[in-house]
Each structure stands twice: as structure tokens, then as C-alpha cells.
Amino acid sequence: MHLDLDKTLVSRERIATRVAELGASLARDLERDLTASGHSPDQIVIIPVLTGALVFTADLIRCLPLKLSLRLVAVSSYPGKSMESKGVSIASELPKDLADKHVVIVDDILDSGQTLAVVRGLIEKQNPASVRCCVLLRKPPSARKAGGHEVRVDYVGFDIPDDFVVGYGLDYDGFYRNHPEIATLRKEAVGGAKG
Ligand code: IMP
Ligand code: MG
């Protein structure tokens, strides 16, 4: 484990087990929707919110034995050594032509809820057949109240305390995304951070 990391909150094994469970329920629900709506099977679109959802999405889509396409959206909310969202800006083009698609937005973590509220709102304007949100981690409801962004998430991997975490795609100042577990950072490693 890298010296900057403090405690492991979620181990590799627990992540793998939970991602498989999330994939199984997502696949079941999407199949049910496709059958009910009589849509052709090429209607499923998975939209990871980059960069944090990269690792989670790579594992999750391999647990979905369905015909699907992947469209990306890049969002930036934590500039540099910040641990507090500074507002959401969409840093890429938004996926288009989502009308009548079954869309699954995948993100690493639900914190204030701003990111998913913005992305979900923009996607819903395109009249997709359905929109689901799937997050690996969720901080406690108190994290959302400050921003007042209550957003519906349909699948949650783990509820975690209101700590800043890294690993499995999550970063601090762009680093630690490759760490295979969810971990907290040592205080010394967050020097210069605001908030
Ligand atoms: P929200 O908009 O406040 O819900 O924040 C969501 C985004 O902020 C996530 O997609 C993450 O990229 C980032 N984020 C929130 N909490 C953490 C954390 O504890 N560690 C690393 N990134 C985080
Ligand atoms: Mg993110």
C-alpha cells in the first residue's frame, strides 16, 4: 500500500463481490424493461462520469451480459488539491441521441449530489426510455443537505462515512486512482488542501 494511504475502507474482495451483485440486479432490471417496452435489444446505453467512474465502470460492464453501448461524459468538480466540490462543469460533449434509450449513469461516489443532479437533468431532457443512476459509494445524507441536491440513485455499492476517500478510480489531486481498494489518506498527504 502506498505510504500516503491510511486505512482501507473497502477491500478488493468486497468491491469485487458487490460489483458482481450490482451488475446482476442491473442486468435483471434492464432485461425486464426491454421485455416490457418491446424495445430492440440495442437500446442500452451506459454513461460513466469520468474520470472517477472509469475503474468501476470497467468492472461493472463486464458483469452485464447484455448488448450495450458506452458513451462518456467528463465532469469536473474538484479542481487541484481541493476536497470540496467547487460546482460542476461538464468538461466534454454530452452524449446525444438518447431518446428511447435505457440509460444508466455510472459514478464513483455520491457526495453532495451536485454532479448526478446536473448530469441526470441534462440526460432526462433528451427523453430516454429510462434513466438509472448507479454509484459505487454513497456518503451520508448530511453530505447532501448542504448543497440541497437530493438526487435519486437506484443502485449503491457501499454506504461510507463522510471521509475523503481515494482508490478504485477516486483521486486526490489526480493521484491514487490506480489503488485497487477504497482507502483514506494520511493527513500529511493532503497538505495544501482546502476544506
Ligand atoms: P458531488 O457532486 O458532491 O456528489 O461529488 C461527486 C464527485 O466528486 C464524484 O464523482 C467524485 O469524483 C468527487 N468526490 C466526492 N467525494 C470524493 C471523495 O471522497 N474522494 C474523491 N473524490 C470525491
Ligand atoms: Mg467524479
Side-chain angles (χ1 to χ4, degrees), residues 1-193:
M1 134 120 59
H2 192 281
L3 287 177
D4 290 345
L5 302 175
D6 188 11
K7 282 196 301 269
T8 296
L9 281 192
V10 192
S11 69
R12 276 177 110 121
E13 294 72 24
R14 287 180 65 212
I15 294 171
T17 304
R18 190 70 188 122
V19 171
E21 288 171 1
L22 289 172
S25 49
L26 192 52
R28 209 169 37 235
D29 294 348
L30 286 166
E31 264 166 1
R32 199 191 311 116
D33 270 14
L34 286 176
T35 311
S37 63
H39 277 128
S40 64
D42 59 357
Q43 299 292 97
I44 298 175
V45 181
I46 309 291
I47 304 185
V49 181
L50 299 181
T51 308
L54 187 92
V55 179
F56 175 37
T57 306
D59 285 344
L60 183 69
I61 58 173
R62 285 177 289 172
C63 297
L64 297 175
L66 301 167
K67 187 178 177 189
L68 59 83
S69 64
L70 201 57
R71 311 282 290 278
L72 315 175
V73 62
V75 169
S76 129
S77 55
Y78 279 37
K81 294 180 196 302
S82 173
M83 287 173 147
E84 263 175 24
S85 175
K86 302 282 183 259
V88 178
S89 62
I90 306 281
S92 69
E93 261 188 55
L94 205 75
K96 294 195 183 79
D97 308 322
L98 298 176
D100 300 325
K101 302 282 198 250
H102 292 283
V103 174
V104 183
I105 305 166
V106 181
D107 206 356
D108 50 1
I109 187 164
L110 181 74
D111 183 12
S112 75
Q114 284 184 72
T115 303
L116 282 179
V118 169
V119 173
R120 186 174 192 136
L122 290 170
I123 285 170
E124 276 172 351
K125 282 193 185 148
Q126 297 189 37
N127 295 319
S130 68
V131 182
R132 294 179 164 85
C133 285
C134 175
V135 295
L136 181 71
L137 306 172
R138 175 170 62 187
K139 290 193 186 175
S142 55
R144 246 106 48 224
K145 285 195 185 106
H149 293 275
E150 213 31 82
V151 58
R152 203 180 85 232
V153 287
D154 309 275
Y155 308 87
V156 177
F158 300 94
D159 280 296
I160 61 162
D162 198 1
D163 293 331
F164 195 83
V165 292
V166 295
Y168 200 70
L170 292 110
D171 74 305
Y172 169 67
D173 197 18
F175 295 104
Y176 316 110
R177 293 195 197 273
N178 56 315
H179 185 63
E181 308 188 305
I182 303 293
T184 54
L185 277 175
R186 287 190 195 286
K187 291 217 164 32
E188 307 78 67
V190 297

